[in-house]
Amino acid sequence: MLVLRPSWPATLLALCLLWAGAGAAAQTSTPGSTAAPLRVLINDVAPYTLRGEAQRPGMHIEIMNALAQQAELAVSLNSAVYVRLAMGLKDGSADLVVGVEGPELDALAQRVAPFHSFKFVVLTRKAAGISQVSQLRGRLLGVARGAFYDDSINKDEAIQKFPMADPFQGVRMLAVDRLDAVISSDYLLSYALRQTGIDPQAFAPPFVVNEKNYSLYARRDLPEDQVRALRRAMEHLHKSGRLATILKLYQ
């Protein structure tokens, strides 16, 4: 079930990374490093990327910043709509991508380390009477462009699909009956419901489609020593509890 949570605490972890506005790059460097920063693409959607607060740049921005610091690697961070993540690997404009584990990214790059697990959930209005994927057939489902959810959804042509700009648009359209359902991660839909100001009582409890991971992907020719450093760094973030602390701030 999707749980609505109270506002986040005001005091967060001190950050070295200042997130600089839409489409802009933010860079963190390692003292003494002369290597070119690794170019990283991150999903440009709240709460994975946030803007306007230097102390709250977004869940994936914080994780990537902590990972780079621990691995002693310089990175240059950019955000993009989800469909652009795979394109960054295809056209060579990104060295690292934080995306949902799945066949498209697996075909383009190597998995480095998981960031966190999440659930793909479907949100509907109570009156719709939709409680499972099979009942989406013949209905209009809000989806993110380029996202792979599950064969039962992506490969079922009987499920009509509307490409949402983001889950915020999807929730608003759902509230006024312009969509029958919206699919997204539990993190994104929880955040969208809190921020849109729409009465959550109008919606049925979301149902879970599956559970997946957001993971760090690297271009296949990234030097092996950098890949190993990133993997060791993620292991340290897990064991030290720092990763769990960051995730909790955005729940």
Side-chain angles (χ1 to χ4, degrees):
M1 178 180 292
L2 190 66
V3 179
L4 301 183
R5 306 176 189 274
S7 299
W8 301 316
T11 304
L12 303 180
L13 295 175
L15 300 176
C16 298
L17 179 64
L18 178 62
W19 186 245
Q27 183 170 318
T28 180
S29 59
T30 303
S33 174
T34 58
L38 294 173
R39 302 160 300 167
V40 186
L41 267 183
I42 290 173
N43 193 4
D44 190 4
V45 65
Y48 300 148
T49 299
L50 296 177
R51 308 191 186 283
E53 293 184 51
Q55 289 187 318
R56 193 190 302 276
M59 179 195 295
H60 289 176
I61 301 296
E62 286 207 46
I63 295 173
M64 193 65 230
N65 186 50
L67 190 63
Q69 289 177 318
Q70 183 63 38
E72 298 185 343
L73 293 172
V75 295
S76 175
L77 304 178
N78 274 284
S79 63
V81 295
Y82 193 83
V83 70
R84 183 71 181 82
L85 301 185
M87 292 175 62
L89 292 168
K90 289 177 181 177
D91 64 21
S93 62
D95 301 305
L96 300 168
V97 161
V98 181
V100 179
E101 289 182 0
E104 183 178 25
L105 293 181
D106 284 341
L108 295 171
Q110 57 178 320
R111 292 188 196 182
V112 177
F115 265 36
H116 62 84
S117 63
F118 69 92
K119 294 179 176 65
F120 273 132
V121 297
V122 174
L123 182 68
T124 67
R125 292 181 62 84
K126 286 181 179 178
I130 300 172
S131 59
Q132 56 189 9
V133 170
S134 62
Q135 293 173 318
L136 293 171
R137 306 192 83 195
R139 307 294 188 99
L140 186 60
L141 175 67
V143 300
R145 287 193 308 129
F148 184 86
Y149 301 105
D150 191 79
D151 282 345
S152 64
I153 290 175
N154 289 74
K155 295 185 178 181
D156 192 339
E157 295 182 359
I159 301 175
Q160 303 173 53
K161 301 173 182 72
F162 174 83
M164 305 178 293
D166 52 47
F168 297 85
Q169 179 193 30
V171 168
R172 289 191 292 266
M173 291 179 67
L174 184 61
V176 296
D177 285 329
R178 292 182 59 194
L179 291 175
D180 295 306
V182 171
I183 185 170
S184 191
S185 80
D186 46 1
Y187 283 103
L188 298 190
L189 281 179
S190 290
Y191 190 83
L193 284 169
R194 289 200 303 270
Q195 299 299 313
T196 55
I198 296 171
D199 183 4
Q201 297 304 313
F203 304 113
F207 64 87
V208 177
V209 175
N210 55 29
E211 184 168 347
K212 294 198 173 186
N213 285 321
Y214 255 99
S215 288
L216 182 65
Y217 279 84
R219 57 182 172 83
R220 295 199 182 278
D221 60 347
L222 193 73
E224 184 58 33
D225 62 328
Q226 294 183 334
V227 174
R228 287 196 301 268
L230 288 165
R231 285 176 174 153
R232 287 195 299 266
M234 182 56 80
E235 184 177 355
H236 175 82
L237 294 186
H238 272 289
K239 290 182 177 179
S240 68
R242 190 173 181 189
L243 180 62
T245 297
I246 295 172
L247 292 175
K248 187 175 181 180
L249 295 173
Y250 291 91
Q251 294 177 334

